[in-house]
Amino acid sequence: MKQKSKISIAEQKETLKMKRTARIISESEYQKQIHLLEADTATIAANLTKAYEAGPAAMRAYLDGPEGSSKEARAVLQKQAADSDGDAADDKITIGKGSGAAMGFQPTQNEIDLMQSMSYPLGSTETFLQAIDNPTAAGIVTSGKLIIDGHHRWSGAIGIGGDAAQVDSTDIQWPGKDTDQILAAAQLTIAAKLGGTGKTPSQSATFSTNILGEPADKITKMIMANLGKRTDKNAPGPLLNRQMCYEILKDPSMLAKVNKWSGGSVQPLKEISLKQKKAGEKAVDELRLSIAKKVAENLAALPVNGKAPKRADMPQFDDKVGGPKPKTVTGDLEAGNFNVTPPFAKESKNRILTNLESVLQESIATWKKHRRK
């Protein structure tokens, strides 16, 4: 029985062209299918490598494009067989504990919001005093000295603790020579974990109260303009609310602790009567300004990373925007179940032989041409 011949790529392209002309498929689907016909695993691996070397913006663009969002490309991100991956051990990522002075770490985003940073520690007397005693950014994700997830906890710890602030993180040692490559590997981790062919989780909204790279006087004004506001639902109360301020002002030992921290000299208050209300309000304003200036001074010193991408291109380990939580990827990373760093594929023997055959045929043709001369 005669075997049915395989449809050539040219024939498949012509069929797709006819479907597009007849409007059976959309233009985007037509372009995607054409692109996939021209791509193979080696091509996908080469394009992944280019995107990896270029950084998170290029990686996000690739993953959201026709080839990068295909089933074929997403399959490359899963654990490869030993004879398929260019390096069998490169995808086993070390997971450990990160620690050290918070000021010694660098952000990997170019905006940090005041209210997300300070609403929790400045939302109640209890959380404020706890932060003074222990200004530690816990439960965040780092990669070496880079902050990957938990920027606002990191900046919040620095806002209170300054140089004394510490980091207590899960440290994921994604390979990479710089911020760009480490963030690209993190983007690939998210795509590999989520599976499917959907868009990369992203947050594009910018912050109206960005504090990163801003001077202390501007940050002080931001804080004073947001007094009594509660934009973070997890905050224990509004920002520097009157209740917490009165609690501090009426407790001499508590106020002494805050004055020592801020370098201020706010005087304590006794019980406030209706006649003394104006005096009480003045004391609250004085305390708020003293705290705001100290926090602003600390936040103005936040390290800035010139390689940090736009917020839309930041890896999102946030389930609120469709990303996986960090703890859901660590096991797979340690086991090497995700193919997130080059080489993404090993060139097949057949492809190598095809390339050699092509070179040989070209050489023979050149030799014959010269011989005829």
Side-chain angles (χ1 to χ4, degrees), residues 65-350:
E67 184 180 290
S69 62
S70 69
K71 291 180 181 178
E72 290 81 358
R74 297 305 172 94
V76 172
L77 301 184
Q78 302 304 315
K79 184 176 182 179
Q80 300 292 296
D83 60 351
S84 298
D85 194 355
D87 184 344
D90 69 319
D91 296 307
K92 289 186 177 180
I93 310 298
T94 301
I95 313 290
K97 293 290 290 182
S99 62
M103 292 291 283
F105 288 76
Q106 281 196 314
T108 55
Q109 62 185 47
N110 60 10
E111 289 186 33
I112 291 179
D113 182 48
L114 167 69
M115 297 303 282
Q116 290 188 55
S117 300
M118 303 313 305
S119 286
Y120 188 82
L122 296 184
S124 74
T125 305
E126 182 181 4
T127 54
F128 180 37
L129 296 180
Q130 284 175 350
I132 290 175
D133 288 336
N134 183 27
T136 299
I140 68 174
V141 176
T142 56
S143 189
K145 289 298 182 179
L146 295 176
I147 305 294
I148 304 297
D149 183 65
H151 281 83
H152 291 106
R153 273 168 282 172
W154 170 72
S155 54
I158 291 175
I160 301 297
D163 290 336
Q166 297 292 307
V167 158
D168 179 11
S169 69
T170 297
D171 189 54
I172 302 177
Q173 290 288 330
W174 279 291
K177 67 179 182 180
D178 55 19
T179 301
D180 280 344
Q181 292 186 1
I182 289 171
L183 291 182
Q187 285 282 35
L188 287 173
T189 299
I190 292 168
K193 180 63 182 178
L194 294 178
T197 57
K199 294 285 186 182
T200 306
S202 174
Q203 290 197 73
S204 57
T206 57
F207 298 125
S208 60
T209 51
N210 172 48
I211 53 177
L212 196 58
E214 298 293 350
D217 59 343
K218 185 174 180 179
I219 298 173
T220 300
K221 289 177 182 177
M222 286 187 208
I223 296 171
M224 297 304 288
N226 284 278
L227 295 174
K229 294 181 181 179
R230 187 178 187 177
T231 58
D232 181 355
K233 66 179 182 180
N234 294 317
L239 189 75
L240 288 174
N241 59 82
R242 282 184 169 78
Q243 181 182 335
M244 69 173 284
C245 290
Y246 275 122
E247 286 174 359
I248 293 169
L249 288 166
K250 289 190 284 185
D251 187 318
S253 62
M254 200 181 289
L255 181 59
K257 184 175 187 175
V258 172
N259 277 335
K260 183 180 179 181
W261 163 78
S262 67
S265 55
V266 181
Q267 296 301 306
L269 278 176
K270 296 179 180 179
E271 288 297 324
I272 305 296
S273 67
L274 290 174
K275 292 181 180 180
Q276 295 173 311
K277 189 174 181 181
K278 285 186 178 179
E281 288 297 304
K282 185 178 178 181
V284 167
D285 290 342
E286 186 182 356
L287 177 63
R288 281 172 158 176
L289 183 59
S290 177
I291 293 171
K293 284 183 175 180
K294 180 60 179 179
V295 169
E297 176 189 320
N298 290 339
L299 291 177
L302 281 170
V304 176
N305 185 349
K307 296 283 284 183
K310 293 179 180 178
R311 192 161 183 249
D313 298 317
M314 252 313 282
Q316 293 294 331
F317 290 96
D318 184 353
D319 57 354
K320 296 184 187 71
V321 294
K325 290 186 176 181
K327 64 182 180 182
T328 67
V329 303
T330 52
D332 284 315
L333 287 171
E334 282 186 302
N337 290 337
F338 297 151
N339 190 18
V340 297
T341 56
F344 293 100
K346 184 185 288 184
E347 196 169 24
S348 69
K349 291 181 180 179
N350 288 338

